[in-house]
């Protein structure tokens, strides 16, 4: 197969920029996590705006700072955490279809709210897939390495359909307390009644010990009523695992497949996207549901 043509040259990455798609589902039995975009809703929107299939590879970047030079005329969109965008110094809008001429530079500043933004390029980022996906899994090391200045990324051929809209009016990520819905279990019976009341009634702060694997939270300790060892069990995105400290960890896209600490509750899948936009210092409140809606 012919090699895809160069599409963009990375000039700056901010704290972390990775190639992502919708990941590697169905391989957990082989010890391979799904990974993929942490905020899938925003990622899918970026691809829809430029006419790509929803699983075309794009770039996830954390707290702004991404900059690239177009190697040829490109059509792109940036979604997720809203950041200041310029193309050769001209202001452009997030959640819209942007034309970046060959040789032009696009730069994204720090977002006003939220944490992770997504760049989709018409045709998709065409790096070599690993196990059927182009996603970077920071825990396992699968997929392309995190982006560095000087990287030149290929872009695939444009899809046959053209973008249907110029702008998608979507709300920005919350900048106040973030409310996430959770379903108790599977090990809520390992915790005291007071722990469950605290989980549903207290605010938990997102600490700086947070990344694509998960976020450590700080708040009222979640005390156990059972203290024996728990054999390792399967983990999912949104699992709230509680180590002996009583301070929960909320697992995100690159979470480990198994864990030996009990999971008191699991965030609903559609709310995990919102959780991925939470910043260090932001507070999270959990609304406990008796069963998934």
């Amino acid at each position: 197969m012919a090699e895809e043509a160069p599409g963009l040259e990375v000039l700056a990455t901010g704290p972390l920029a990775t190639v992502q798609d919708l990941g590697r589902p169905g391989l957990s039995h082989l010890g391979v996590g799904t990974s993929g975009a942490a905020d899938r809703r925003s990622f899918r929107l970026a691809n829809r705006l430029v006419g790509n299939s929803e699983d075309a590879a794009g770039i996830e970047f954390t707290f702004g700072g991404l900059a690239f030079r177009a190697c040829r005329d490109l059509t792109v969109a940036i979604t997720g955490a809203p950041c200041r965008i310029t193309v050769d110094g001209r202001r452009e809008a997030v959640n819209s279809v942007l034309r970046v001429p060959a040789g032009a530079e696009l730069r994204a500043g720090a977002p006003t709210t939220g944490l992770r933004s997504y760049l989709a390029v018409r045709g998709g980022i065409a790096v070599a897939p690993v196990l059927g996906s182009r996603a970077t899994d920071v825990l396992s090391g699968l997929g392309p390495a995190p982006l560095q200045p000087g990287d030149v990324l290929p872009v695939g051929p444009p899809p046959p359909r053209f973008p249907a809209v110029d702008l998608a009016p979507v709300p920005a990520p919350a900048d106040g307390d973030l409310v996430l819905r959770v379903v108790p279990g599977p090990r809520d019976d390992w915790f005291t009644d007071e722990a469950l009341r605290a989980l549903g009634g207290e605010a938990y702060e997102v600490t700086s010990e947070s990344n694509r694997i998960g976020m450590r939270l700080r708040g009222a300790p979640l005390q156990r009523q059972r203290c024996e060892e728990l054999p390792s069990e399967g983990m999912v995105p949104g699992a709230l695992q509680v180590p002996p400290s009583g301070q929960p960890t909320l697992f995100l896209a690159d979470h480990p497949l198994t864990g030996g600490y009990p999971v008191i509750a699991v965030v609903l899948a559609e709310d995990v996207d919102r959780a991925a936009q939470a910043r260090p210092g932001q507070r999270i409140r959990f609304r406990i549901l008796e069963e998934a809606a």
Side-chain angles (χ1 to χ4, degrees):
M1 187 186 338
E3 198 173 305
E4 302 292 357
L8 59 91
E9 177 188 359
V10 178
L11 303 177
T13 63
L16 178 68
T18 57
V19 176
Q20 296 295 339
D21 54 20
L22 294 181
R24 303 176 179 86
L27 299 179
S28 295
H29 64 295
L30 300 176
V32 177
T34 299
S35 189
D39 177 356
R40 290 168 178 257
R41 181 182 303 172
S42 296
F43 178 81
R44 287 185 168 106
L45 174 61
N47 271 324
R48 290 200 302 271
L49 281 169
V50 297
N52 288 343
S53 64
E54 290 189 343
D55 61 351
I59 296 175
E60 176 184 283
F61 57 103
T62 302
F63 208 67
L66 181 71
F68 71 84
R69 179 181 296 111
C71 301
R72 52 190 168 97
D73 292 351
L74 299 175
T75 299
V76 308
I78 292 179
T79 61
C83 48
R84 185 182 190 274
I85 303 170
T86 61
V87 176
D88 274 354
R90 183 184 69 253
R91 287 290 299 271
E92 298 288 359
V94 295
N95 302 318
S96 65
V97 179
L98 309 177
R99 271 72 181 186
V100 185
E105 294 183 7
L106 182 147
R107 296 184 176 271
T112 53
T113 61
L115 186 65
R116 295 178 171 94
S117 304
Y118 293 88
L119 170 75
V121 183
R122 184 167 167 80
I125 302 297
V127 296
V130 177
L131 295 179
S133 168
R134 296 178 168 91
T136 299
D137 185 330
V138 300
L139 179 62
S140 70
L142 285 174
L147 299 180
Q148 298 292 331
D151 288 346
V152 177
L153 300 179
V155 171
R161 60 178 182 167
F162 288 89
V165 297
D166 292 327
L167 177 68
V170 296
D175 58 356
D177 286 7
L178 181 63
V179 178
L180 303 177
R181 296 167 294 172
V182 299
V183 177
R187 296 295 180 181
D188 54 310
D189 59 338
W190 279 51
F191 295 86
T192 64
D193 291 342
E194 290 77 12
L196 288 168
R197 282 194 289 270
L199 182 67
E202 302 289 339
Y204 286 82
E205 181 183 343
V206 179
T207 72
S208 59
E209 296 179 86
S210 302
N211 54 26
R212 282 180 45 85
I213 298 168
M215 60 176 73
R216 294 185 187 273
L217 305 177
R218 182 187 300 116
L222 302 175
Q223 302 294 343
R224 295 191 203 177
Q225 63 180 356
R226 295 179 58 177
C227 297
E228 65 262 37
E229 291 293 323
L230 176 70
S232 290
E233 298 181 313
M235 293 291 147
V236 297
L240 276 167
Q241 189 186 63
V242 185
S245 67
Q247 300 297 312
T249 295
L250 173 55
F251 283 147
L252 298 177
D254 291 350
H255 66 89
L257 293 179
T258 60
Y261 297 133
V263 171
I264 190 171
V266 178
V267 175
L268 295 192
E270 60 192 275
D271 283 3
V272 173
D273 289 339
R274 298 171 56 236
Q277 293 292 355
R279 299 183 177 198
Q282 191 169 0
R283 300 198 311 173
I284 292 177
R285 292 185 179 274
F286 296 103
R287 182 158 67 88
I288 298 177
L289 307 177
E290 288 306 315
E291 58 183 27

